[in-house]
Structures are given as C-alpha cells and as structure tokens.
Amino acid sequence: MENTEEYSPLRITPTVRALSSALRGKREDVLDGSRENGDRIFPETEKLWFKESSAKNLRNRDFLSPTTMLNTLYADGQVPPAVMSRVLSLRGSGVLPVAGGEVTGEGLRVRVDRAAAFKAVLADAATEYLKPSGQRQGCVVLNCPALHPKPNTPTPDTLTLGQLRTVLLADHMGALLRRQGLAVSYCPTLPEDSDIITFLRALGIDWPTAPANWTNEEREEKIQEALENSPYKERETERGRRTSGGGGGGGGGGGRKAEEGENEGGLRVNLKRVFQEKGLLGYDPSIGTCIVHRDSVSHLAQLDRATADCTVAMATVLHVTSCQDEFRQQQIAVLWRASGATHTQRHLVCGPVKTPGSHLTAAQYLQLRRGQMKEASEMKYGDQVEGQTWDDIIRVMTSATLRFELLSTVHTSPVTLDVQREDGVSTKGPRGGVFVMYNCARLHTLFDSYERGVEKGLYPEIPDTSKLDFSALKEEGEWLLLFNYLITFSEQLDQSGQALDCEGGGARVNIKTEQICKFLVSLSKDFSSYYNRVHVLGEPLPHLFNQMFCRLHLLRALRELYHSALETLNLPPIRQL
C-alpha cells in the first residue's frame, strides 16, 4: 500500500482536498468559542484554498488559504498549532509534498517541496501526467448536421465558416473523449470520393466514408415506417387549420415552401407532444407540428446507423451545430424520439463566425490562410521553402491556424476573423496555432542539438531521474512549467467529458472546448519566456551536468506534453522550422 501511495501521480485536486481537510480538522477544533451555540458557517471545500498560477505569486507560495477563510474557521483567524502541524505534515495519494507554511497578512501560505515534486513528476512514469486521471465507459456519437445532405452532400464551397467551426469542434471533441476511454463514432457517413472528404483530409480530419454507390435505404424505410406508426403522427382530423412548425427537416424556407405546396398532405408529427410527454427539457417551446421530409428521414437513418455500431445499449448523441441551425436540429432530435429512439441527446451549440467586410466560404478561408502561411514562411526562411517536406509543414501549420482561430473562443460565443489584413498569419509572436507549433519545433531542435553533442562526445547520455538532484532547478520558470502545465494537464482532460454526464441540464450542453487551445498558447508563452532566458545546453563541464540533465528531463516531459495536447486537436507536431 505504501508503494501505491508513493507512486500515485501528483494532482492538484486531491492536494486541495487534503489541505482543506487538514485545515478543517475536527469540528470542535474550528468552532468559535465566543458563540454560545457553536454554530458557524463553513466555507465550501473548493474555496478554502487557491492554487497559485502567476509567476509573481509562485515566488512566495504555491497554495493560499485567504485571511477571509481563516476568519470564517477560527476566532480572529488564528490557526491553532495542531492544525498547522496537520497542514505541514500533509500526505496522501496524489498529494503534493509540503515543504513549509506560514500565516501572513494575506492568509496561510503553503509551499510545495519542489525538488521532490520535480523528481516524482519527471520519473519514468511521467506519462501518467499526459492522460486523464481515470477512464470512462460508454459510447458517444458526434453528429454534425452541417455535413448531412440537404438534399445534396455539402461541398467546401457551400460550407460556411460557422459550419466549419462545428466540424472542427466535433473532431476535437472526438479526440478528447477517446482519450477518456469512450467509444466515439461520427455521423453522417460521407461519400469517399466527395470533395468535402478531400477538404476535411487537408485539415487532418479523418471522417467516416462509404463507397459512392452505398445507400442507407433499408434504414430509411424503417424510420419512415416507425414515424407512420408513431402515436405522435397527426391524423387528418387533428390538423384543422394548424400551422406547422417550420419544416422539421426541410431546411428553413425550403420546408415552408413544401408545406404550402406538394407536401401539404404529407406525414406530419406533433413534436410538441413528444417533448412534453417524454419530459424533454430545454427544447424551444415554439416547436410544433412538422412535416417529415426526405432529408429528415435520411438524417435519422444516419443516426440510427451510427448508434447501431455502439458497443453499449445506450449511447449519448452529441449534436454539434451552429446557432443558426439549432432550431432545426432540435426538431430532428425530437422527431427521432417520435420514431422510437431512446438514446440520450445533447446539443453543443456554436456561435457564429464573422468576417467583417468580406464573405468567405470554408474553401476560400482555407485557401487564404494557406497562401498567407506559405508567404510568411518564404519571407522568413527564403528559398528553402520548397519540396514535399515544406508542403507538409505548411499544410499542418495552416490546419493549426484554422483550428486555433475557430476553437480558442468559448463555443457559445461568436468568433470574429480579420481576413483582410495582409499579415493575417505570422511565424512569430503569440498568435495562436503558429506560435504553438513553432515552440513545439524549438523543443525538437533543442534535443537534436543535444543528440549531436552526445555523438561528438561533448555530453554523456541523460541519466535516470533517480540519479539526479532536482534541487538544482531553481529558476522560477521551471517550477511554473511543472506546476501550471505538466501537473494540471490530466485534470484538463478530465473536464471535457464530465458535462455530458450532467442530468437535468436541458437539451444544451456547455463544455469548455476552448481550454486545450488556451492551455497550449499559455504554455507556449511561458516556455518561450523561459527558453529565451535560460541556456539549457551549457558548457560540457561535469560539474554543470546535473542541472543540465534536470532541465533536459523537464523539457523532454514538456515535449511529450505538447504532443499529447496536440493529439486532442488531431495536429501532428512540427519537428523543424
């Protein structure tokens, strides 16, 4: 048992919980004796302590329990010696080792034993910090309405930037959820030789395909029959003069025209009754009766096929849709329930993408950014920007640019792109995807330089962490990189799927989909600052090797962190620039 505790990956959450438990102690330890009834209002556990993150504060402390919290727990905010002893002797599975603490005007400061933390995190089991803290079970279908035929398969020239945002978000969510152990599939299946598949592959998106002559007619017939026999089907006597709710799968104006014309006598389903009787929360109350169109049936058949491949009886279907298409997708979701489907359905809704002064399709946007990326690379690197290697680099850098531009903003908020600036893409400066990929490449260049030094006999091979003294890592940027990024990454991964488990939240689900992009940009800023300030590969003198090797272990773990985070965006690392 002792070994299990010793080698448990260090985490922030269990450390905060342990600190809170130590601070609270037994109830009689924290009661204010001046109050006759002994009743006090105890603060929530997560508010008792705060993890520091800024370089300025990390010079003095790693965790802080503010004076306001201490005043709530103790008379006059005086921390009893027994409580302080518990805090300073903190232990437990995944708990960071405490080196010291003191009460100041700001509150109770605690410092971590940094050398011990470096050694634990950078040991051979450091990969534990690059995956979620736990594995989940289940099946998630990511449905992207923007890619469904209406009635024809969309093309890069018909795909809007708002719809492209939903596709990139679905791709990112799929990678994140797979990392948590969930089985993930995508909907719809697209023709393998279509222009949209070629476009998606240029962005590094691996979407499911089927032969061009493939049909889903059998499932479509089954869905049509289920709706014909649905208890929510409207009979002629029920219709009266009722106005339908906007063409439940016809696509806006097209659906309304159909209601007025040839589909006047078509199959109608009362969607309002469906979500009222089944207790579906969060659906638009204006959803009423809809006419069932062919593309609606095709959409449902695709969903039926995607969920049929799930390895569990019940799947969660996440509809990733733009705000413009949300109403229609709610109709589709309720219509699916009317056909007998019982899978959990949630809606991840994206805000619009704005390009002031211009109007671009997805194809034009990709072409613009690719041209800017090539031009910026040629300006910086000159004639060497040619050949397949540079074509691949420009393709990945362009994909990174698009992903960071469209995914770094909270998914419910609008994104505004400045596509008219001549310097729209830069190869330097904290400008999102390019900046992140550039700093990832710097790490590869550093290790290439080290390996060449080893080949020349300048440096020995990097020894195991057990043979190094990590107290040599005294530069503030080193602890910041470990404490803010390496230790926290696994908990970042945990958060992406937790929102799907929340019950009673209605049709919409809000997930912090922007976190990985922001994490990578912030990491790159702090790494760049450290790298520009510290000379990692020093003189080949034996008395300097310990510190150099400690730094190399840190940066090697950082390089793997980059790779792991970029994988969730389906971006390969750039190894040279």
Side-chain angles (χ1 to χ4, degrees), residues 333-391:
V334 179
L335 191 62
W336 199 25
R337 290 298 295 265
S339 74
T342 56
H343 299 290
T344 300
Q345 298 184 71
R346 308 299 295 274
H347 298 254
L348 189 68
V349 181
C350 293
V353 178
K354 303 176 182 178
T355 54
S358 63
H359 175 75
L360 294 179
T361 66
Q364 292 168 333
Y365 175 47
L366 175 61
Q367 184 179 10
L368 173 69
R369 290 296 189 239
R370 182 190 290 133
Q372 291 172 331
M373 188 69 244
K374 184 174 183 181
E375 182 179 353
S377 300
E378 289 173 340
M379 289 180 64
K380 182 171 184 178
Y381 299 103
D383 294 339
Q384 64 175 301
V385 182
E386 59 181 21
Q388 187 60 50
T389 298
W390 269 102
D391 287 346

Side-chain angles (χ1 to χ4, degrees), residues 25 43 96 140 144 175 185 202 229 240 303 341 369 398 437 467 547 576:
L96 285 154
V140 176
C144 207
S185 58
N229 298 321
L303 287 169
R369 290 296 189 239
T398 303
M437 303 303 282
K467 299 177 181 178
Q547 184 183 61
Q576 68 177 71

Side-chain angles (χ1 to χ4, degrees), residues 105-148:
E106 297 168 303
L108 175 53
R109 297 175 174 177
V110 165
R111 284 180 63 85
V112 170
D113 184 339
R114 296 183 175 184
F118 274 119
K119 192 161 193 167
V121 176
L122 301 179
D124 292 340
T127 52
E128 291 296 320
Y129 296 88
L130 305 180
K131 62 184 181 182
S133 58
Q135 290 289 290
R136 304 170 69 236
Q137 293 184 333
C139 180
V140 176
V141 173
L142 289 159
N143 179 41
C144 207
L147 298 179
H148 281 270

Side-chain angles (χ1 to χ4, degrees), residues 83-98:
V83 173
M84 181 64 80
S85 178
R86 283 198 301 266
V87 170
L88 296 180
S89 60
L90 206 62
R91 291 190 61 193
S93 177
V95 175
L96 285 154
V98 172

Side-chain angles (χ1 to χ4, degrees), residues 230-234 268-270 273-274 277-278 337-338:
S230 171
Y232 302 101
K233 172 186 175 182
E234 278 209 340
R268 294 172 181 261
V269 176
N270 190 325
R273 274 185 56 208
V274 177
E277 292 183 13
K278 294 187 178 295
R337 290 298 295 265

Side-chain angles (χ1 to χ4, degrees), residues 241-352:
R241 298 173 59 85
R242 182 180 301 156
T243 301
S244 77
R256 285 188 287 274
K257 289 179 182 178
E259 291 169 18
E260 296 166 3
E262 73 273 8
N263 283 307
E264 185 63 37
L267 172 62
R268 294 172 181 261
V269 176
N270 190 325
L271 300 183
K272 188 169 187 177
R273 274 185 56 208
V274 177
F275 72 76
Q276 286 179 337
E277 292 183 13
K278 294 187 178 295
L280 304 179
L281 301 176
Y283 283 84
D284 193 312
S286 66
I287 291 179
T289 300
C290 79
I291 296 176
V292 178
H293 297 285
R294 181 178 179 82
D295 58 340
S296 301
V297 175
S298 172
H299 194 136
L300 299 185
Q302 286 269 14
L303 287 169
D304 184 67
R305 181 175 186 267
T307 51
D309 294 336
C310 289
T311 56
V312 295
M314 292 293 291
T316 296
V317 178
L318 187 62
H319 304 289
V320 187
T321 185
S322 65
C323 56
Q324 294 93 336
D325 294 334
E326 181 183 14
F327 183 80
R328 179 176 183 270
Q329 194 55 37
Q330 285 199 6
Q331 289 180 312
I332 290 289
V334 179
L335 191 62
W336 199 25
R337 290 298 295 265
S339 74
T342 56
H343 299 290
T344 300
Q345 298 184 71
R346 308 299 295 274
H347 298 254
L348 189 68
V349 181
C350 293

Side-chain angles (χ1 to χ4, degrees), residues 6-20:
E6 182 180 354
Y7 289 103
S8 296
L10 303 179
R11 311 281 189 202
I12 300 301
T13 299
T15 301
V16 170
R17 287 175 181 161
L19 284 168
S20 298

